[in-house]
Amino acid sequence: MTLMGAAALLILILTYAGVAIGRVPGLRLDRAGIALLGGAAMIAIGALSLEDAYRAINFDTITLLLGMMIVVAHLKVSGAFRALGAVAIEHAHAPFMLLVMVTLLTGVLSAFLVNDAICLVMAPIVVHVTRVINRNPIPYLIATATASNCGSVATITGNPQNMVIGALSGISYPAFSAALAPVALFGLVAVIVIVRIVYRAEFARKAEVSPEVYRGRMLPGQVLKAVVVCIGLAIAFFADVPVAKAALIGGAILLVTRAIKPARIYREIDGPLLFMFAGLFIVVAGAEKTLLSPDIIASAKNLGLDDVWRLSGFTAVLSNIMSNVPAVLALRPFIPGLENPERAWLIVAMSSTLAGNFTLLGSVANLIVAEHARVSGTTLSFAAFFKVGLPLTLVTLLAGTAWLALGF
Protein backbone atom coordinates (compact mmCIF):
# COMPACT_ATOMS: atom_id res chain seq x y z
CA MET A 1 0.00 0.00 0.00
CA THR A 2 1.31 3.45 -0.89
CA LEU A 3 1.74 6.22 1.66
CA MET A 4 -1.23 8.06 0.15
CA GLY A 5 -3.30 4.89 0.31
CA ALA A 6 -2.44 4.42 3.98
CA ALA A 7 -3.36 8.05 4.70
CA ALA A 8 -6.65 7.68 2.82
CA LEU A 9 -7.47 4.51 4.76
CA LEU A 10 -6.77 6.28 8.06
CA ILE A 11 -8.98 9.22 7.05
CA LEU A 12 -11.77 6.84 6.04
CA ILE A 13 -11.60 4.92 9.33
CA LEU A 14 -11.45 8.05 11.49
CA THR A 15 -14.28 9.73 9.57
CA TYR A 16 -16.58 6.74 9.79
CA ALA A 17 -15.75 6.18 13.45
CA GLY A 18 -16.49 9.82 14.20
CA VAL A 19 -19.78 9.76 12.28
CA ALA A 20 -20.78 6.54 14.06
CA ILE A 21 -20.00 7.98 17.51
CA GLY A 22 -21.38 11.40 16.63
CA ARG A 23 -18.59 13.51 18.06
CA VAL A 24 -14.85 13.78 18.67
CA PRO A 25 -13.89 13.65 22.36
CA GLY A 26 -12.60 17.02 23.52
CA LEU A 27 -13.84 18.86 20.43
CA ARG A 28 -17.14 20.40 19.39
CA LEU A 29 -17.21 18.66 16.02
CA ASP A 30 -20.53 17.07 15.15
CA ARG A 31 -21.23 14.52 12.40
CA ALA A 32 -21.41 17.18 9.70
CA GLY A 33 -18.11 18.73 10.79
CA ILE A 34 -16.43 15.33 10.99
CA ALA A 35 -17.56 14.41 7.46
CA LEU A 36 -16.47 17.78 6.03
CA LEU A 37 -13.10 17.51 7.79
CA GLY A 38 -12.66 14.02 6.35
CA GLY A 39 -13.48 15.29 2.86
CA ALA A 40 -11.07 18.21 3.23
CA ALA A 41 -8.36 15.81 4.43
CA MET A 42 -8.82 13.64 1.32
CA ILE A 43 -8.25 16.74 -0.82
CA ALA A 44 -5.28 17.85 1.33
CA ILE A 45 -3.39 14.55 0.91
CA GLY A 46 -4.00 14.58 -2.86
CA ALA A 47 -6.34 11.60 -2.97
CA LEU A 48 -8.72 13.84 -4.92
CA SER A 49 -8.29 17.14 -6.69
CA LEU A 50 -10.77 19.88 -5.86
CA GLU A 51 -12.45 19.25 -9.24
CA ASP A 52 -12.67 15.52 -8.48
CA ALA A 53 -14.21 16.35 -5.10
CA TYR A 54 -16.88 18.47 -6.78
CA ARG A 55 -17.66 15.59 -9.13
CA ALA A 56 -17.77 13.12 -6.24
CA ILE A 57 -20.71 14.91 -4.60
CA ASN A 58 -23.96 13.49 -5.91
CA PHE A 59 -25.92 16.69 -6.36
CA ASP A 60 -29.09 14.79 -7.30
CA THR A 61 -29.17 13.52 -3.71
CA ILE A 62 -28.41 16.94 -2.22
CA THR A 63 -31.02 18.62 -4.43
CA LEU A 64 -33.68 16.04 -3.63
CA LEU A 65 -33.05 16.36 0.10
CA LEU A 66 -33.16 20.16 -0.04
CA GLY A 67 -36.36 20.22 -2.08
CA MET A 68 -38.13 17.76 0.23
CA MET A 69 -36.95 19.65 3.31
CA ILE A 70 -38.56 22.83 1.96
CA VAL A 71 -41.83 20.98 1.22
CA VAL A 72 -41.91 19.42 4.70
CA ALA A 73 -41.01 22.75 6.32
CA HIS A 74 -43.90 24.48 4.55
CA LEU A 75 -46.34 21.76 5.62
CA LYS A 76 -45.16 22.13 9.20
CA VAL A 77 -45.10 25.94 9.37
CA SER A 78 -48.48 26.31 7.64
CA GLY A 79 -50.10 24.05 10.26
CA ALA A 80 -51.00 21.28 7.81
CA PHE A 81 -49.33 18.52 9.84
CA ARG A 82 -50.98 19.56 13.10
CA ALA A 83 -54.39 19.73 11.45
CA LEU A 84 -54.03 16.32 9.81
CA GLY A 85 -52.78 14.75 13.03
CA ALA A 86 -55.63 16.27 14.99
CA VAL A 87 -58.32 15.04 12.60
CA ALA A 88 -56.92 11.51 12.52
CA ILE A 89 -56.19 11.07 16.22
CA GLU A 90 -59.44 12.66 17.42
CA HIS A 91 -61.29 9.81 15.70
CA ALA A 92 -59.45 7.19 17.79
CA HIS A 93 -61.86 6.36 20.63
CA ALA A 94 -60.02 3.42 22.21
CA PRO A 95 -56.36 2.84 23.17
CA PHE A 96 -55.83 0.21 20.48
CA MET A 97 -57.43 2.43 17.83
CA LEU A 98 -55.14 5.24 18.94
CA LEU A 99 -52.17 2.91 18.38
CA VAL A 100 -53.45 1.96 14.93
CA MET A 101 -54.06 5.58 13.96
CA VAL A 102 -50.65 6.79 15.18
CA THR A 103 -48.88 3.93 13.38
CA LEU A 104 -50.70 4.33 10.06
CA LEU A 105 -50.56 8.12 10.02
CA THR A 106 -46.85 8.18 10.81
CA GLY A 107 -46.07 5.38 8.37
CA VAL A 108 -48.02 6.79 5.44
CA LEU A 109 -46.60 10.30 5.87
CA SER A 110 -43.09 8.86 6.20
CA ALA A 111 -43.52 6.96 2.95
CA PHE A 112 -43.72 10.16 0.92
CA LEU A 113 -41.92 12.71 3.08
CA VAL A 114 -38.64 12.45 4.98
CA ASN A 115 -39.29 10.24 8.02
CA ASP A 116 -37.13 12.26 10.45
CA ALA A 117 -39.27 15.34 9.78
CA ILE A 118 -42.47 13.37 10.36
CA CYS A 119 -41.18 12.29 13.79
CA LEU A 120 -40.49 15.94 14.63
CA VAL A 121 -44.17 16.64 14.00
CA MET A 122 -45.78 13.47 15.38
CA ALA A 123 -43.83 13.02 18.62
CA PRO A 124 -45.17 16.19 20.31
CA ILE A 125 -48.72 15.33 19.20
CA VAL A 126 -48.46 11.83 20.69
CA VAL A 127 -47.03 13.16 23.96
CA HIS A 128 -49.81 15.75 24.24
CA VAL A 129 -52.61 13.31 23.45
CA THR A 130 -51.47 10.57 25.84
CA ARG A 131 -51.06 13.12 28.62
CA VAL A 132 -54.58 14.50 28.08
CA ILE A 133 -56.21 11.03 28.13
CA ASN A 134 -53.97 9.74 30.96
CA ARG A 135 -52.38 6.86 29.06
CA ASN A 136 -48.84 5.47 29.11
CA PRO A 137 -47.08 7.36 26.28
CA ILE A 138 -44.25 4.82 25.77
CA PRO A 139 -45.99 2.30 23.46
CA TYR A 140 -47.37 5.07 21.27
CA LEU A 141 -43.98 6.81 21.07
CA ILE A 142 -42.27 3.55 20.14
CA ALA A 143 -44.93 3.00 17.49
CA THR A 144 -44.24 6.49 16.13
CA ALA A 145 -40.50 5.89 15.78
CA THR A 146 -40.70 2.36 14.38
CA ALA A 147 -43.59 3.16 12.03
CA SER A 148 -41.65 6.09 10.59
CA ASN A 149 -38.77 3.73 9.76
CA CYS A 150 -41.03 1.01 8.34
CA GLY A 151 -43.15 3.41 6.30
CA SER A 152 -40.13 5.17 4.84
CA VAL A 153 -39.00 1.92 3.20
CA ALA A 154 -41.73 2.35 0.57
CA THR A 155 -40.31 5.15 -1.58
CA ILE A 156 -37.14 6.92 -2.65
CA THR A 157 -38.27 10.07 -0.80
CA GLY A 158 -38.97 8.25 2.47
CA ASN A 159 -35.55 8.69 4.05
CA PRO A 160 -32.04 9.98 3.27
CA GLN A 161 -30.48 6.58 2.54
CA ASN A 162 -33.22 5.77 0.01
CA MET A 163 -32.53 9.11 -1.67
CA VAL A 164 -28.86 8.19 -1.99
CA ILE A 165 -29.77 4.77 -3.39
CA GLY A 166 -32.27 6.28 -5.83
CA ALA A 167 -29.59 8.63 -7.18
CA LEU A 168 -26.83 6.01 -7.35
CA SER A 169 -28.86 3.11 -8.71
CA GLY A 170 -31.02 4.80 -11.34
CA ILE A 171 -34.03 2.77 -10.17
CA SER A 172 -37.22 4.63 -11.06
CA TYR A 173 -39.61 5.86 -8.38
CA PRO A 174 -42.46 3.55 -9.53
CA ALA A 175 -40.17 0.49 -9.69
CA PHE A 176 -38.72 1.23 -6.25
CA SER A 177 -42.19 1.60 -4.73
CA ALA A 178 -43.57 -1.49 -6.44
CA ALA A 179 -40.78 -3.55 -4.92
CA LEU A 180 -40.72 -2.12 -1.39
CA ALA A 181 -44.22 -0.73 -0.63
CA PRO A 182 -45.46 -4.24 0.31
CA VAL A 183 -42.54 -4.54 2.74
CA ALA A 184 -43.46 -1.18 4.29
CA LEU A 185 -47.11 -2.22 4.66
CA PHE A 186 -46.11 -5.50 6.33
CA GLY A 187 -43.83 -3.51 8.64
CA LEU A 188 -46.65 -1.21 9.78
CA VAL A 189 -48.88 -4.19 10.56
CA ALA A 190 -45.99 -5.77 12.46
CA VAL A 191 -45.53 -2.57 14.51
CA ILE A 192 -49.18 -2.66 15.59
CA VAL A 193 -49.12 -6.37 16.45
CA ILE A 194 -45.80 -6.36 18.33
CA VAL A 195 -46.47 -3.17 20.31
CA ARG A 196 -49.90 -4.58 21.20
CA ILE A 197 -48.33 -7.81 22.48
CA VAL A 198 -45.37 -6.29 24.32
CA TYR A 199 -47.51 -3.62 26.01
CA ARG A 200 -50.61 -5.74 26.45
CA ALA A 201 -51.24 -4.32 29.94
CA GLU A 202 -51.72 -0.85 28.42
CA PHE A 203 -54.34 -2.12 25.98
CA ALA A 204 -56.00 -4.47 28.47
CA ARG A 205 -56.95 -1.38 30.50
CA LYS A 206 -60.06 -0.55 28.51
CA ALA A 207 -61.20 3.00 28.29
CA GLU A 208 -63.25 5.22 26.04
CA VAL A 209 -60.94 8.04 25.01
CA SER A 210 -61.80 11.31 23.36
CA PRO A 211 -58.45 12.93 22.63
CA GLU A 212 -58.37 16.58 21.78
CA VAL A 213 -55.32 17.77 19.90
CA TYR A 214 -54.12 21.35 20.01
CA ARG A 215 -54.23 22.40 16.37
CA GLY A 216 -52.45 25.72 16.72
CA ARG A 217 -52.66 28.43 14.11
CA MET A 218 -53.32 27.23 10.60
CA LEU A 219 -52.91 29.18 7.35
CA PRO A 220 -55.63 27.69 5.11
CA GLY A 221 -54.34 29.22 1.88
CA GLN A 222 -50.82 27.95 2.49
CA VAL A 223 -52.08 24.52 3.48
CA LEU A 224 -54.07 24.30 0.26
CA LYS A 225 -51.06 25.36 -1.80
CA ALA A 226 -48.84 22.80 -0.04
CA VAL A 227 -51.38 20.03 -0.63
CA VAL A 228 -51.62 20.92 -4.33
CA VAL A 229 -47.82 20.90 -4.64
CA CYS A 230 -47.59 17.54 -2.82
CA ILE A 231 -50.19 16.01 -5.16
CA GLY A 232 -48.24 17.40 -8.10
CA LEU A 233 -45.03 15.91 -6.72
CA ALA A 234 -46.63 12.49 -6.28
CA ILE A 235 -47.88 12.57 -9.87
CA ALA A 236 -44.45 13.68 -11.11
CA PHE A 237 -42.63 10.99 -9.12
CA PHE A 238 -44.84 8.18 -10.42
CA ALA A 239 -44.71 9.64 -13.94
CA ASP A 240 -40.95 9.04 -13.71
CA VAL A 241 -39.95 12.71 -13.73
CA PRO A 242 -36.45 12.95 -12.16
CA VAL A 243 -37.16 13.15 -8.44
CA ALA A 244 -34.51 15.80 -7.71
CA LYS A 245 -35.89 18.06 -10.43
CA ALA A 246 -39.49 17.65 -9.24
CA ALA A 247 -38.61 18.20 -5.57
CA LEU A 248 -36.58 21.33 -6.28
CA ILE A 249 -39.33 22.87 -8.41
CA GLY A 250 -41.98 21.96 -5.84
CA GLY A 251 -39.97 23.46 -2.99
CA ALA A 252 -39.25 26.63 -4.96
CA ILE A 253 -42.96 27.13 -5.72
CA LEU A 254 -43.77 26.93 -2.01
CA LEU A 255 -41.28 29.70 -1.24
CA VAL A 256 -43.44 32.11 -3.27
CA THR A 257 -45.76 33.37 -0.53
CA ARG A 258 -46.86 36.54 1.27
CA ALA A 259 -47.92 34.76 4.46
CA ILE A 260 -44.77 32.97 5.64
CA LYS A 261 -41.40 34.61 6.15
CA PRO A 262 -38.66 32.70 4.31
CA ALA A 263 -36.57 32.63 7.50
CA ARG A 264 -39.17 30.37 9.14
CA ILE A 265 -38.74 27.85 6.33
CA TYR A 266 -34.95 28.11 6.33
CA ARG A 267 -34.83 27.35 10.07
CA GLU A 268 -36.49 24.00 9.39
CA ILE A 269 -33.89 22.95 6.79
CA ASP A 270 -31.33 20.50 8.16
CA GLY A 271 -28.20 22.15 6.77
CA PRO A 272 -25.80 19.94 8.76
CA LEU A 273 -27.27 16.84 7.11
CA LEU A 274 -26.55 18.29 3.66
CA PHE A 275 -22.98 19.09 4.74
CA MET A 276 -22.53 15.58 6.12
CA PHE A 277 -23.66 14.05 2.82
CA ALA A 278 -21.25 16.22 0.82
CA GLY A 279 -18.35 15.33 3.10
CA LEU A 280 -19.09 11.60 3.03
CA PHE A 281 -19.37 11.55 -0.76
CA ILE A 282 -15.86 13.05 -0.97
CA VAL A 283 -14.39 10.71 1.66
CA VAL A 284 -15.79 7.60 -0.03
CA ALA A 285 -14.62 8.80 -3.47
CA GLY A 286 -11.12 9.44 -2.14
CA ALA A 287 -10.96 6.00 -0.55
CA GLU A 288 -12.34 4.38 -3.67
CA LYS A 289 -9.75 6.06 -5.91
CA THR A 290 -6.74 5.27 -3.73
CA LEU A 291 -7.67 1.92 -2.17
CA LEU A 292 -10.09 0.04 -4.38
CA SER A 293 -8.52 -1.49 -7.44
CA PRO A 294 -10.77 -3.34 -9.92
CA ASP A 295 -9.50 -6.62 -8.45
CA ILE A 296 -10.47 -5.62 -4.91
CA ILE A 297 -13.92 -4.51 -6.05
CA ALA A 298 -14.37 -7.77 -7.97
CA SER A 299 -13.38 -9.69 -4.84
CA ALA A 300 -16.70 -8.67 -3.30
CA LYS A 301 -18.05 -11.76 -5.04
CA ASN A 302 -15.95 -13.80 -2.62
CA LEU A 303 -17.98 -12.32 0.23
CA GLY A 304 -21.10 -13.89 -1.24
CA LEU A 305 -22.97 -10.60 -1.45
CA ASP A 306 -24.83 -11.92 -4.50
CA ASP A 307 -26.77 -13.99 -1.98
CA VAL A 308 -29.87 -12.05 -0.96
CA TRP A 309 -29.83 -13.23 2.65
CA ARG A 310 -26.13 -12.58 3.18
CA LEU A 311 -26.33 -9.07 1.69
CA SER A 312 -29.38 -8.25 3.82
CA GLY A 313 -27.70 -9.43 7.03
CA PHE A 314 -24.40 -7.72 6.19
CA THR A 315 -26.18 -4.42 5.49
CA ALA A 316 -28.21 -4.62 8.71
CA VAL A 317 -25.11 -5.21 10.83
CA LEU A 318 -23.13 -2.51 9.04
CA SER A 319 -26.00 -0.02 9.46
CA ASN A 320 -26.08 -0.59 13.21
CA ILE A 321 -22.32 -0.15 13.48
CA MET A 322 -21.87 3.01 11.42
CA SER A 323 -25.44 4.30 10.77
CA ASN A 324 -27.46 3.74 7.61
CA VAL A 325 -26.30 6.51 5.26
CA PRO A 326 -22.56 5.85 5.80
CA ALA A 327 -23.25 2.12 5.41
CA VAL A 328 -24.95 2.69 2.05
CA LEU A 329 -22.06 4.82 0.83
CA ALA A 330 -19.54 2.23 2.02
CA LEU A 331 -21.31 -0.43 -0.06
CA ARG A 332 -21.55 1.80 -3.15
CA PRO A 333 -18.38 0.60 -4.93
CA PHE A 334 -19.33 -3.06 -4.61
CA ILE A 335 -22.99 -3.17 -5.68
CA PRO A 336 -22.59 -2.48 -9.45
CA GLY A 337 -20.36 -5.55 -9.80
CA LEU A 338 -22.93 -7.94 -8.35
CA GLU A 339 -25.01 -10.26 -10.50
CA ASN A 340 -28.25 -8.30 -10.05
CA PRO A 341 -27.40 -4.70 -9.02
CA GLU A 342 -31.01 -3.48 -9.00
CA ARG A 343 -32.10 -6.19 -6.60
CA ALA A 344 -28.97 -5.60 -4.52
CA TRP A 345 -29.74 -1.87 -4.17
CA LEU A 346 -33.31 -2.66 -3.12
CA ILE A 347 -32.02 -5.09 -0.49
CA VAL A 348 -29.62 -2.46 0.83
CA ALA A 349 -32.45 0.12 0.97
CA MET A 350 -34.77 -2.26 2.78
CA SER A 351 -32.23 -3.67 5.22
CA SER A 352 -30.46 -0.41 6.10
CA THR A 353 -33.82 1.19 6.92
CA LEU A 354 -35.46 -1.64 8.86
CA ALA A 355 -32.23 -2.20 10.81
CA GLY A 356 -32.86 1.23 12.31
CA ASN A 357 -35.58 -0.29 14.48
CA PHE A 358 -33.15 -2.62 16.26
CA THR A 359 -32.16 -0.22 19.04
CA LEU A 360 -33.00 3.27 20.21
CA LEU A 361 -29.71 4.46 18.68
CA GLY A 362 -30.43 2.79 15.33
CA SER A 363 -31.87 5.80 13.53
CA VAL A 364 -32.20 9.55 13.84
CA ALA A 365 -36.00 9.14 13.89
CA ASN A 366 -35.75 7.09 17.10
CA LEU A 367 -33.56 9.71 18.76
CA ILE A 368 -35.92 12.52 17.74
CA VAL A 369 -38.85 10.74 19.41
CA ALA A 370 -36.78 9.96 22.53
CA GLU A 371 -35.67 13.58 22.82
CA HIS A 372 -39.24 14.90 22.58
CA ALA A 373 -40.26 12.40 25.24
CA ARG A 374 -37.41 13.58 27.50
CA VAL A 375 -38.31 17.24 27.10
CA SER A 376 -41.90 16.42 28.10
CA GLY A 377 -40.74 14.58 31.23
CA THR A 378 -41.06 11.02 29.85
CA THR A 379 -38.09 8.66 29.61
CA LEU A 380 -38.05 6.37 26.59
CA SER A 381 -35.38 3.93 27.73
CA PHE A 382 -33.09 1.75 25.64
CA ALA A 383 -34.61 -1.38 27.22
CA ALA A 384 -38.21 -0.33 26.62
CA PHE A 385 -37.50 0.33 22.96
CA PHE A 386 -35.47 -2.88 22.55
CA LYS A 387 -38.39 -5.03 23.73
CA VAL A 388 -40.22 -3.96 20.56
CA GLY A 389 -37.22 -3.27 18.34
CA LEU A 390 -35.63 -6.71 18.54
CA PRO A 391 -38.63 -8.82 17.41
CA LEU A 392 -39.80 -6.14 14.98
CA THR A 393 -36.41 -5.91 13.25
CA LEU A 394 -36.06 -9.68 12.97
CA VAL A 395 -39.59 -10.22 11.64
CA THR A 396 -39.51 -7.37 9.13
CA LEU A 397 -36.00 -8.18 7.86
CA LEU A 398 -36.93 -11.82 7.35
CA ALA A 399 -40.15 -10.90 5.55
CA GLY A 400 -38.52 -8.19 3.45
CA THR A 401 -35.59 -10.34 2.42
CA ALA A 402 -37.88 -13.26 1.55
CA TRP A 403 -40.07 -10.94 -0.52
CA LEU A 404 -37.15 -9.58 -2.54
CA ALA A 405 -35.65 -13.05 -2.93
CA LEU A 406 -38.87 -14.31 -4.44
CA GLY A 407 -39.78 -11.19 -6.41
CA PHE A 408 -36.56 -10.55 -8.27
Side-chain angles (χ1 to χ4, degrees), residues 55-356:
R55 285 191 289 270
I57 299 171
N58 189 302
F59 284 100
D60 278 350
T61 303
I62 303 296
T63 302
L64 174 57
L65 257 175
L66 177 61
M68 293 307 297
M69 285 177 183
I70 294 172
V71 171
V72 170
H74 195 94
L75 286 165
K76 181 179 178 182
V77 171
S78 67
F81 279 142
R82 283 193 306 271
L84 179 60
V87 170
I89 290 175
E90 285 175 354
H91 285 81
H93 297 299
F96 180 68
M97 285 308 301
L98 180 60
L99 171 66
V100 171
M101 197 64 73
V102 166
T103 301
L104 294 182
L105 181 60
T106 304
V108 171
L109 288 175
S110 296
F112 295 99
L113 304 169
V114 186
N115 67 332
D116 298 346
I118 301 306
C119 284
L120 282 170
V121 174
M122 287 299 298
I125 293 175
V126 170
V127 168
H128 170 74
V129 167
T130 51
R131 179 173 293 168
V132 168
I133 63 176
N134 195 29
R135 307 298 298 191
N136 177 11
I138 297 302
Y140 306 99
L141 288 169
I142 293 174
T144 301
T146 54
S148 77
N149 291 325
C150 288
S152 73
V153 170
T155 70
I156 287 173
T157 53
N159 57 57
Q161 62 269 22
N162 282 7
M163 293 182 188
V164 173
I165 290 169
L168 296 178
S169 68
I171 300 173
S172 70
Y173 200 96
F176 191 101
S177 297
L180 292 182
V183 177
L185 180 59
F186 176 86
L188 295 180
V189 173
V191 169
I192 294 169
V193 172
I194 292 173
V195 171
R196 172 67 178 80
I197 292 171
V198 171
Y199 288 94
R200 49 190 172 274
E202 162 66 16
F203 301 102
R205 186 164 61 95
K206 301 295 182 183
E208 178 73 18
V209 299
S210 298
E212 293 185 7
V213 182
Y214 172 68
R215 303 191 184 199
R217 180 169 174 257
M218 190 174 72
L219 303 171
Q222 298 305 311
V223 170
L224 177 61
K225 184 169 70 172
V227 169
V228 170
V229 167
C230 286
I231 292 171
L233 282 177
I235 293 171
F237 290 155
F238 284 102
D240 214 12
V241 173
V243 288
K245 175 181 177 181
L248 183 63
I249 293 172
I253 290 171
L254 289 176
L255 289 176
V256 182
T257 172
R258 292 183 299 175
I260 299 174
K261 292 181 179 179
R264 295 184 64 191
I265 301 296
Y266 302 153
R267 281 196 296 268
E268 301 293 332
I269 294 173
D270 191 349
L273 181 63
L274 300 178
F275 294 148
M276 187 186 81
F277 270 58
L280 286 177
F281 277 126
I282 296 171
V283 169
V284 171
E288 186 176 350
K289 184 176 179 180
T290 55
L291 298 171
L292 298 183
S293 66
D295 289 341
I296 293 176
I297 293 174
S299 69
K301 289 186 177 294
N302 297 330
L303 298 175
L305 297 183
D306 277 317
D307 180 79
V308 171
W309 294 93
R310 186 169 296 183
L311 178 58
S312 178
F314 184 79
T315 303
V317 172
L318 199 64
S319 296
N320 273 285
I321 293 173
M322 61 174 61
S323 188
N324 39 35
V325 171
V328 167
L329 290 175
L331 288 167
R332 183 187 73 174
F334 305 100
I335 299 300
L338 299 181
E339 184 179 339
N340 189 337
E342 180 173 326
R343 181 178 67 180
W345 277 123
L346 291 170
I347 291 166
V348 170
M350 179 273 300
S351 187
S352 64
T353 302
L354 294 179

Side-chain angles (χ1 to χ4, degrees), residues 1-19 24 34-35 37-42 45 47 280 283-284 286-288 290-291:
M1 183 183 292
T2 65
L3 182 61
M4 182 183 294
L9 179 60
L10 180 62
I11 292 168
L12 178 70
I13 293 171
L14 291 177
T15 301
Y16 267 61
V19 169
V24 176
I34 292 166
L37 180 61
M42 283 292 186
I45 67 169
L280 286 177
V283 169
V284 171
E288 186 176 350
T290 55
L291 298 171

